[in-house]
Amino acid sequence: SLTRQAQVAKAAVDLARDLRRIDIREDAFLADLANLPILPGGASALTAAHLIEFVPAAALTESILPHWRSRLAPGGELVVVTLDGPAWAADLAQGDFASLRRRLGADGTGQPPRNLFDAAGLAEALRAAGLEPGEPRHAPPFALTIAARAPAT
């Protein structure tokens, strides 16, 4: 049986295929975030785009990030893209209450984020998992990206 996270990911991929809005890459797959079907040290690179904001903080720091680190080859790279917490919060402060509820997912129509990071907080979480984060990149309107490397040995 699929975990809730895997069910959500599968539904998103199925919808995207149905709507032909994205091109599904051949090297993409669905898996439990804390149990990737990759041998330890078997990945030269992993990318997690807009995933970490939707998982519980404890699972992220205690199991998911350390697991991803264990799957990277020496010197391998993990690229994490997430909501830029401060930029998103500043934008949320504008507008009316109904808009705020909708964008937070607090109106029952969406999945609210569970984690919001600023660059320092994301870098610290990556360091705690044994990775060396690079410089953060901010992209409009609300994307924060950090590429982190596993130790070379």
Side-chain angles (χ1 to χ4, degrees):
S1 129
L2 294 174
T3 66
R4 177 71 179 135
Q5 293 161 339
Q7 289 171 345
V8 170
K10 181 181 181 319
V13 169
D14 290 345
L15 177 62
R17 281 187 176 138
D18 289 345
L19 297 177
R20 309 261 190 258
R21 289 190 178 166
I22 64 172
D23 179 24
I24 302 301
R25 293 175 32 176
E26 290 182 17
D27 60 343
F29 58 89
L30 298 177
D32 181 332
L33 296 177
N35 190 22
L36 297 179
I38 299 171
L39 293 174
S44 60
L46 295 172
T47 301
H50 295 288
L51 292 172
I52 66 169
E53 57 262 43
F54 296 104
V55 298
L60 181 67
T61 58
E62 294 169 15
S63 61
I64 294 171
L65 287 176
H67 175 72
W68 291 352
R69 160 61 191 95
S70 76
R71 293 325 189 231
L72 287 172
E77 182 179 66
L78 170 64
V79 177
V80 177
V81 183
T82 189
L83 280 172
D84 185 332
W88 194 53
D91 188 69
L92 286 174
Q94 303 172 19
D96 60 28
F97 182 67
S99 173
L100 173 67
R101 287 186 73 233
R102 184 186 79 257
R103 293 181 65 204
L104 286 174
D107 63 353
T109 63
Q111 174 74 22
R114 295 178 180 212
N115 291 309
L116 287 178
F117 289 94
D118 61 7
L122 180 55
E124 179 55 35
L126 293 166
R127 270 190 212 91
L131 296 159
E132 185 53 44
E135 289 298 314
R137 295 188 317 264
H138 302 270
F142 314 115
L144 167 63
T145 302
I146 295 182
R149 292 241 175 238
T153 57

